[in-house]
Amino acid sequence: MPDLEKLLSKNARNMRKSVIRELLKLTTQPDIISFAGGLPAPETFPVEDLRRAADEVFTKHAFKALQYGTTEGDDDLRNELVIFEGRGGVKLALDNILVVSASQQALDMMPKLFVDPGDYVIAGRPTYVGAIQAITAYQGRVLGIPFSPENDGFDMDELERRFGRAVHSRQRVKYIYVIPDFQNPSGICWSLPKRRALLEFAYRNELLIVEDSPYREIRFIGEHIPSIYQLDQEGQNRGIVIGLKTFSKILVPGARVGWVMAKPEIISKLVTAKQAMDLCTNVFAQKWLAEYLKTGKIYGLIENTCANYRAKRNLMIEMFKLYMPKRWDLRWTEPEGGLFLWLSLPKYINTDAMIHKAVARKVAYVIGSAFYFDEPEMNAMRINFSYSTHEQIEEGVKRLAAVITEEIAAHEAGPRGQTQAEI
Ligand SMILES: Cc1ncc(COP(=O)(O)O)c(C=O)c1O
């Protein structure tokens, strides 16, 4: 066996393992209450409707569904996506859509297409770990932008400052990666003015925006805000936004189907990139989802899913208020949609170190540091509220609050105890 490490490419050496996927292994013990994964609630999966849709495929399109398909994606599915996006206010033609093997594949295509070693991608601090993984796999770097204290999007002054510094030192910045709707990991939703401001910034600096919106339809409180894709389309229509969508959070993640929305010139480049990756997305799955979409049931399903998550999110926040230590430096976001909230703890608590204590107490979270390309914040965690049952949410928050309470007590007792002894 040759020395594998010597044979690895520079790209491969740069790849990072997903902390979340590693953590998930740790949390598969049956008695652990896991707030770690980004899993949708299985009770929302419309199993019978999907079975009927699969039967329809075998009855009506078996030979097409079992054959290779086009890289761009199945026309039946793309036609359904035109209708689906149209209801959400986005106007598309078939050549604006590329079907992908869920949005993670699209996230890998972006740096594949745009990033040379050392190039920067602007993204949030924190941001989705899968995007960081893809960017680093192509030796790209992330220019991290903190969120504003209002939690309504980037701190635009910091964006100008950090981008200005990068340009001044002749760094190449290629695109802006954002998750404006109920961000993973923070749950933050960008306000309309922030979305407009980012679009203006991108126009002015001739940058592309990659708008990743897996949670867009999962809004359970408040009014929908237009996507940045939509704002460009309805305004100057310069076609600088690439929209990433997926069935993973609105239907089932196991289907592994998503779609990219962009102007045809960009879609054509992505098609070339995808050809070398998988030729085409699973054709059976595309036909299957097209049949399901034709029933029109997805809209009711999304409504039910939102109601389900609203109840879980409310319960989780109620439990936080009840059990978490009450202090100014222990805070959480209160998202209006999506699957996650972000819990910030006193500065001296290291959630990487604390995870082992939490797992020993049979509760799990994702360490906040996983969501930073560099200079991670160590005192935060991502909490998922979609997957657990109500009973698990109540019990899990109790366990987590106990671990945090102990950490705070240990810190406060430690130095004081020492000081007293010294005195
Ligand atoms: C922001 C974001 N983008 C992309 C993905 C990947 O989703 P999928 O590949 O299942 O479509 C996720 C999954 O959690 C996510 O949170």
Side-chain angles (χ1 to χ4, degrees):
M1 174 76 179
D3 182 348
L4 201 59
E5 288 305 315
K6 275 196 192 150
L7 295 179
L8 287 176
S9 67
K10 284 187 186 145
N11 280 1
R13 271 185 223 147
N14 226 39
M15 285 177 190
R16 297 184 185 184
K17 261 214 161 88
S18 161
V19 182
I20 299 184
R21 303 217 73 83
E22 294 300 303
L23 258 179
L24 283 181
K25 288 184 205 158
L26 202 95
T27 60
T28 46
Q29 305 157 31
D31 48 348
I32 284 226
I33 296 178
S34 179
F35 299 144
L39 277 57
E43 67 267 23
T44 64
F45 298 165
V47 177
E48 282 312 311
D49 291 336
L50 288 173
R51 191 201 308 276
R52 271 193 290 277
D55 284 346
E56 284 290 293
V57 177
F58 278 117
T59 311
K60 295 199 315 213
H61 317 283
F63 289 101
K64 273 195 174 163
L66 300 172
Q67 191 53 277
Y68 284 114
T70 59
T71 306
E72 286 80 353
D74 179 72
D75 280 359
D76 279 352
L77 178 60
R78 287 195 296 160
N79 276 312
E80 290 301 320
L81 291 173
V82 169
I83 299 169
F84 181 80
E85 287 293 345
R87 277 180 65 133
V90 175
K91 292 182 217 62
L92 297 173
L94 285 202
D95 60 1
N96 294 122
I97 304 174
L98 168 67
V99 178
V100 285
S101 305
S103 44
Q104 189 61 43
Q105 182 179 49
L107 284 177
D108 191 67
M109 289 167 148
M110 298 301 141
K112 185 174 191 174
L113 214 57
F114 298 115
V115 168
D116 286 314
D119 285 356
Y120 275 102
V121 174
I122 294 173
R125 271 182 64 76
T127 195
Y128 172 52
V129 64
I132 299 177
Q133 257 191 317
I135 293 163
T136 52
Y138 293 92
Q139 300 181 61
R141 293 182 286 179
V142 175
L143 187 64
I145 311 298
F147 286 85
S148 72
E150 291 75 35
N151 284 348
D152 70 341
F154 283 174
D155 179 330
M156 297 308 283
D157 293 337
E158 278 298 322
L159 173 63
E160 295 286 355
R161 229 185 330 270
R162 293 180 188 212
F163 176 72
R165 267 206 307 263
V167 170
H168 187 71
S169 56
R170 297 184 184 282
Q171 306 293 340
R172 283 185 312 257
V173 180
K174 291 299 184 66
Y175 60 89
I176 308 169
Y177 169 71
V178 275
I179 313 158
D181 298 303
F182 323 115
Q183 195 227 23
N184 180 0
S186 64
I188 290 171
C189 184
W190 286 47
S191 65
L192 185 58
K194 279 278 161 83
R195 291 171 195 236
R196 287 196 201 285
L198 190 77
L199 194 57
E200 285 303 324
F201 175 86
Y203 286 157
R204 193 162 17 95
N205 295 294
E206 300 191 336
L207 293 167
L208 292 171
I209 296 177
V210 174
E211 182 181 36
D212 185 14
S213 295
Y215 309 101
R216 177 154 182 78
E217 286 77 16
I218 309 294
R219 173 182 274 285
F220 38 73
I221 296 171
E223 294 296 314
H224 277 286
I225 301 173
S227 64
I228 302 177
Y229 190 93
Q230 218 173 323
L231 291 175
D232 176 48
Q233 189 169 68
E234 289 167 4
Q236 299 189 24
N237 201 14
R238 295 203 204 171
I240 65 153
V241 186
I242 303 175
L244 312 188
K245 299 290 290 286
T246 176
F247 285 108
S248 291
K249 306 297 155 77
I250 56 172
L251 184 55
V252 287
R256 307 309 298 136
V257 177
W259 61 103
V260 179
M261 308 181 293
K263 64 176 181 178
E265 296 93 296
I266 295 177
I267 293 289
S268 152
K269 296 277 181 220
L270 290 168
V271 165
T272 312
K274 183 172 162 66
Q275 281 165 353
M277 298 169 105
D278 62 2
L279 303 180
C280 62
T281 294
N282 181 326
V283 184
F284 185 89
Q286 295 187 63
K287 285 278 182 214
W288 173 49
L289 296 184
E291 284 304 318
Y292 175 74
L293 287 179
K294 278 181 206 165
T295 65
K297 290 189 173 178
I298 191 148
Y299 306 105
L301 176 76
I302 291 173
E303 248 177 65
N304 291 341
T305 303
C306 287
N308 182 323
Y309 293 178
R310 185 190 306 118
K312 288 183 177 180
R313 171 267 193 205
N314 286 348
L315 177 65
M316 182 144 272
I317 290 176
E318 200 186 313
M319 293 302 115
F320 272 25
K321 286 181 180 157
L322 202 58
Y323 295 113
M324 287 292 170
K326 285 155 194 61
R327 330 166 32 107
W328 68 269
D329 54 0
L330 193 154
R331 300 179 304 274
W332 53 85
T333 53
E334 301 201 347
E336 298 187 336
L339 273 59
F340 309 108
L341 57 81
W342 184 249
L343 178 62
S344 303
L345 303 179
K347 279 272 178 243
Y348 51 80
I349 294 188
N350 179 321
T351 55
D352 281 25
M354 199 177 72
I355 185 69
H356 301 285
K357 295 178 194 164
V359 170
R361 289 269 189 133
K362 306 281 181 206
V363 63
Y365 56 83
V366 180
I367 52 178
S369 63
F371 301 94
Y372 294 83
F373 170 77
D374 54 10
E375 297 171 23
E377 306 237 331
M378 303 307 294
N379 60 321
M381 65 177 73
R382 186 192 76 177
I383 298 283
N384 166 270
F385 52 78
S386 58
Y387 184 67
S388 304
T389 61
H390 285 224
E391 293 71 31
Q392 287 170 331
I393 290 177
E394 179 157 5
E395 179 56 30
V397 173
K398 261 192 229 173
R399 293 180 192 174
L400 185 60
V403 176
I404 294 171
T405 306
E406 276 172 22
E407 286 289 287
I408 294 175
H411 175 85
E412 291 187 346
R416 214 181 304 138
Q418 230 174 26
T419 319
Q420 278 166 2
E422 279 161 14
I423 292 166

